[in-house]
Amino acid sequence: MNLLDEPWMPVRLRNGAREWISPQRLSDPEVVAFDADRPDFNGALAQFAIGLLQSTTRVNSASEWRQGFKVPPSAAVLHEWFAAIEAAFVFDGDGPRFMQDRSLQAEEFSDIGGLLIDSPGENTVKNNGDHFVKRDHVEALCPPCAALALLTLQINAPSGGAGHRTGLRGGGPLTTLIDVAASADRSLWHGLWLNVRERDSFLALSGDRTKTALHLRFPWLADITAIQKLDGETAPVQVHPDHVFWAMPRRIRLDFEHVSVGACDICARPSEHRLQRYATRNHGLNYKGAWEHPLSPYYETKEGWLPLHPQPGGLGYRQWLGWVAGAGVDAKRSRKRARVVAHALDERGRQLGANLSLWAFGYDMDNMKARCWYESRIPLYGLAECSKDVQREVEVEVGQHLAAAELAAFFLRSGVKDAWFGADARGDFSHIDASFWGNTEPAFYRQLEKRITAARDGQGFDRIAAAEQWLASLKQAVMQLFDEVFVGAGAIERQHPRRAAEARRKLMAGLRGNKLRESLGRPVADPAAKKARKTSKNPPVPTSADGETPANRRPT
């Protein structure tokens, strides 16, 4: 089985049908999306396809790239591109195998389900802790699903115990790709090609382009010691730039001798060669140094630039600025968007059209435990068609909107905590933040679309009105969540009316205060003048917690 010739990639066709294709059909105009049975498999397929095209393309100028976007290459052309590396994509047999350690000879085997990142680990099973993801739910895989599981594990490789290496981007990296909506003249090819650079441009990014030996591009073609010394490290200068797509941190070899007949436990297709086990050993390639994967955003630390990873709370508009613009609300923490995103927005311009989005996905890992798979489509609304000056203006305004949202989320979280427990409470309140960001997301994207559309079409845009509208949306969302979801909707016997009333008063004061307006760049009230006006008026009439005064209070 060779992965460049075999139809092992599940896809969805334009008519809605599902089919399995070989990589040579990636440019087929009828293929609109990957369609695996697991979302992490779809993410791995996209990275496999992009890496394959980037490693083999002969396109070397912007005009050639535009031609490839306008008129996708034929299957025959792709076959010609792939021919030189065909030996690296053999999946079974006695020699080198795709992403498998050719030298591994193990006496002990693991169940094939262990290749899946969300499978319960050995300690979890031992402690009977597999309550949600059960043991033994995957016992046999058809070869295509086994290839997908292996690929997904090598890309996302989390911590696996002593000597079991994480991936080149650490365990469970965040991936951000430029994507385009399927339409009459757009297919899967266009979304993939947007993330492929001209060959020389890519080779100049990282690694040593003079190291052309195939095993320095595809590490499974030789013993690990041909790249790094025993217990050593692998840095970018030791390998070819293509290696960044084909990292192999885990030493694994699938067992093709002890197979069975039946339905695959993932895709349910019948197979005469279901794989049931694999051998593994620690001390694979140990990636260290200034690696920068082109499909991931990065942030700066004292130790250098590190790749971003999904965190509890999900993916959404709060990350728009960092992933799209390479900036953040916190100016002290530098960020870099993924190189494919930067190149597409800065260099492609009006070639791309207005139906672009950012496809972000990845595992939220807690060491070896997969807490959640996150995936999101973040609209760009034709930002690439705007001039760079306009893009910078949009980034500044989005930064202000996000700063205000961060502050409003803090006010809500603090208010709910005060109403429930008091100021000294400790614990996980992330569900409050998640509700806030989900509640305010539609309003954010409505405003963003109006802003970018106006800039793209050369129309005027009232920034002051937009800021005031966003401020109103934040206030409304915060008070609605406080009153109707978290505090006001609670069981009456569990409420503390006085504490809840005081928390609500404090929350409203924060929303009306200067800090929220300052974050949006809006004028604020002069504190001295405000105090003078307050003292010159009559003392405020005392009210009860529900807002009634002694004059209008109804008898009970």
Side-chain angles (χ1 to χ4, degrees):
M1 177 180 175
N2 192 296
L3 298 182
L4 298 185
D5 302 321
E6 190 78 13
W8 66 283
M9 308 173 81
V11 297
R12 186 173 71 253
L13 303 182
R14 195 174 296 278
N15 62 7
R18 191 186 197 195
E19 192 172 327
W20 278 258
I21 67 169
S22 73
Q24 297 172 22
R25 285 188 59 194
L26 287 172
S27 58
D28 188 333
E30 296 302 311
V31 177
V32 296
F34 289 116
D35 193 27
D37 292 88
R38 291 171 53 101
D40 56 344
F41 283 7
N42 283 327
L45 279 168
Q47 294 179 79
F48 174 92
I50 292 168
L52 179 60
L53 295 172
Q54 186 66 82
S55 300
T56 60
T57 182
R58 299 176 183 179
V59 168
N60 211 18
S61 68
S63 60
E64 290 178 305
W65 185 94
R66 288 193 297 269
Q67 181 64 20
F69 189 75
K70 183 178 179 181
V71 181
S74 65
V77 171
L78 291 183
H79 175 74
E80 186 179 353
W81 286 7
F82 303 157
I85 61 169
E86 191 168 357
F89 289 82
V90 175
F91 188 58
D92 53 12
D94 297 329
R97 300 178 187 167
F98 174 76
M99 285 199 168
Q100 299 171 63
D101 188 336
R102 63 178 299 177
S103 64
L104 187 57
Q105 300 294 330
E107 298 179 357
E108 296 184 3
F109 291 88
S110 301
D111 294 336
I112 197 70
L115 290 178
L116 303 176
I117 293 177
D118 56 345
S119 293
E122 183 178 341
N123 287 336
T124 301
V125 173
K126 181 179 179 181
N127 297 328
N128 198 32
D130 52 330
H131 304 299
F132 301 105
V133 180
K134 296 295 185 182
R135 72 191 78 176
D136 301 331
H137 72 291
V138 173
E139 297 180 334
L141 299 178
C142 65
C145 284
L148 282 172
L150 176 64
L151 172 67
T152 304
L153 178 59
Q154 295 285 24
I155 289 175
N156 296 283
S159 300
H164 289 278
R165 310 298 189 191
T166 59
L168 183 146
R169 293 171 280 174
L174 172 70
T175 299
T176 58
L177 306 177
I178 294 288
D179 201 8
V180 62
S183 61
D185 61 343
R186 293 289 184 266
S187 64
L188 172 64
W189 167 264
H190 297 91
L192 298 174
W193 194 239
L194 285 171
N195 298 280
V196 176
R197 299 175 70 136
E198 298 82 1
R199 185 61 175 162
D200 279 348
S201 174
F202 168 75
L203 292 176
L205 294 180
S206 181
D208 186 349
R209 62 188 300 170
T210 66
K211 296 184 181 297
T212 55
L214 274 183
H215 74 276
L216 297 179
R217 300 169 67 193
F218 309 104
W220 53 88
L221 294 178
D223 189 83
I224 287 177
T225 56
I227 297 177
Q228 74 176 32
K229 296 180 180 179
L230 186 64
D231 293 329
E233 299 176 348
T234 299
V237 295
Q238 296 171 238
V239 295
H240 188 273
D242 287 343
H243 188 108
V244 73
F245 289 110
W246 311 109
M248 196 177 74
R250 295 295 184 88
R251 299 181 65 189
I252 291 172
R253 194 165 181 87
L254 302 179
D255 181 7
F256 283 91
E257 296 181 2
H258 298 83
V259 297
S260 63
V261 178
C264 174
D265 287 340
I266 289 184
C267 71
R269 292 197 304 166
S271 174
E272 296 182 356
H273 302 90
R274 296 190 311 168
L275 281 75
Q276 298 175 288
R277 63 184 194 175
Y278 67 96
T280 186
R281 187 171 296 170
N282 56 4
H283 300 295
L285 291 176
N286 186 19
Y287 294 101
K288 301 292 183 180
W291 288 97
E292 186 174 347
H293 198 288
L295 307 184
S296 284
Y298 282 71
Y299 69 98
E300 190 175 23
T301 69
K302 294 180 180 179
E303 291 75 31
W305 290 93
L306 298 178
L308 285 169
H309 294 75
Q311 298 296 319
L315 313 178
Y317 83 89
R318 66 187 301 182
Q319 289 96 3
W320 192 94
L321 196 63
W323 298 347
V324 175
V329 176
D330 181 4
K332 297 180 181 180
R333 189 181 184 188
S334 298
R335 292 168 174 81
K336 282 196 295 190
R337 52 190 171 171
R339 281 181 164 174
V340 292
V341 176
H343 189 70
L345 296 182
D346 291 346
E347 304 299 332
R348 304 298 187 200
R350 294 183 177 272
Q351 310 162 28
L352 306 181
N355 294 322
L356 298 185
S357 62
L358 201 68
W359 180 20
F361 55 83
Y363 272 108
D364 170 20
M365 301 297 304
D366 181 12
N367 290 322
M368 291 180 282
K369 181 173 68 177
R371 291 184 291 205
C372 188
W373 169 265
Y374 288 120
E375 186 170 346
S376 181
R377 301 276 179 169
I378 297 176
L380 299 179
Y381 300 121
L383 182 66
E385 296 186 274
C386 299
S387 67
K388 291 185 178 180
D389 289 341
V390 171
Q391 288 187 29
R392 301 293 90 80
E393 291 176 4
V394 171
E395 291 165 14
V396 170
E397 293 163 24
V398 169
Q400 292 175 339
H401 282 51
L402 293 180
E406 293 276 7
L407 191 56
F410 169 76
F411 287 152
L412 174 62
R413 184 171 62 252
S414 300
V416 172
K417 184 175 68 173
D418 290 348
W420 281 350
F421 309 110
D424 297 330
R426 297 290 183 271
D428 182 9
F429 295 93
S430 59
H431 62 292
I432 299 174
D433 286 45
S435 296
F436 169 82
W437 292 107
N439 187 282
T440 54
E441 187 169 74
F444 174 83
Y445 282 129
R446 282 194 299 269
Q447 283 210 348
L448 183 63
E449 182 178 18
K450 291 179 182 178
R451 177 66 179 96
I452 295 177
T453 300
R456 192 183 68 231
D457 297 341
Q459 301 175 354
F461 185 77
D462 191 339
R463 298 180 180 85
I464 296 177
E468 294 293 345
Q469 186 178 357
W470 179 239
L471 185 60
S473 297
L474 294 178
K475 292 178 179 179
Q476 180 182 8
V478 168
M479 296 312 302
Q480 181 182 8
L481 290 170
F482 184 91
D483 291 338
E484 301 177 15
V485 177
F486 294 115
V487 178
I492 189 65
E493 65 271 15
R494 297 182 181 178
Q495 293 191 13
H496 190 299
R498 182 183 296 275
R499 190 169 60 206
E502 176 59 25
R504 191 177 192 278
R505 183 201 64 78
K506 184 178 178 182
L507 174 60
M508 292 182 68
L511 294 176
R512 294 169 178 169
N514 287 341
K515 287 185 178 181
L516 200 56
R517 295 187 65 82
E518 286 175 346
S519 64
L520 280 168
R522 302 300 303 127
V524 299
D526 182 2
K530 184 176 180 181
K531 183 177 180 180
R533 288 197 304 270
K534 184 176 181 180
T535 56
S536 66
K537 296 180 179 179
N538 294 328
V541 178
T543 61
S544 64
D546 57 7
E548 293 184 349
T549 65
N552 67 14
R553 185 174 296 132
R554 293 167 293 181
T556 58

